[in-house]
Amino acid sequence: MATLPPKFDITRPEIERVVATFYARIREHPGLGPIFAAHVTDWDPHEAKVAAFWANAILFERSYDGNPLLVHREAGNVQPGMFETWLALFDRVLVAELREDQAAAWSALAHTIGRGLRAGVVEKVKGPSGIPILR
């Protein structure tokens, strides 16, 4: 079976570097840091799993097995408005760590995925009609 070409020009080590830098900034972030700290106790495996997610999404590697939507829904402390903050921080890391073309391409992909995750969390938290769901 033929392999698909990457969505854009980037290497696995560059993906891993971006992920590591991003999570270093997450741990320092006053709003997002505590949210992640409530769920992530061992950062190395978490970063490896997220790097595998991005390598799958960008390079079409088949090394990721997970369900990000389910994880974010089940976390219990992820609120829809947090996605904008997350994406803004991610965009700053992309610009700092990558070439302009790489940063722009990855940002576009991240925003597309982020919209899907946000919609899934909003749907779960508020329901299709926008009315809060009692848990």
Side-chain angles (χ1 to χ4, degrees), residues 27-103:
R27 289 190 290 275
E28 298 170 354
H29 193 277
L32 297 176
I35 301 302
F36 279 83
H39 302 285
V40 180
T41 55
D42 193 351
W43 286 95
D44 289 339
H46 178 74
E47 290 177 20
K49 186 163 193 141
V50 172
F53 168 83
W54 286 117
N56 182 67
I58 299 166
L59 303 175
F60 298 103
E61 287 185 7
R62 295 178 186 241
S63 57
Y64 176 76
D65 66 345
N67 185 333
L69 180 58
L70 184 63
V71 169
H72 287 89
R73 279 184 173 176
E74 291 181 347
N77 65 347
V78 177
Q79 300 300 315
M82 293 175 183
F83 287 98
E84 287 78 14
T85 304
W86 183 97
L87 286 166
L89 181 60
F90 195 66
D91 282 341
R92 286 194 297 277
V93 170
L94 292 174
V95 168
E97 295 295 321
L98 299 173
R99 295 186 325 257
E100 185 177 344
D101 62 308
Q102 292 171 310

Side-chain angles (χ1 to χ4, degrees), residues 1-17:
M1 181 153 95
T3 355
L4 294 171
K7 287 189 177 175
F8 56 90
D9 178 34
I10 196 163
T11 65
R12 178 66 185 248
E14 288 171 316
I15 290 171
E16 292 169 354
R17 185 181 76 233

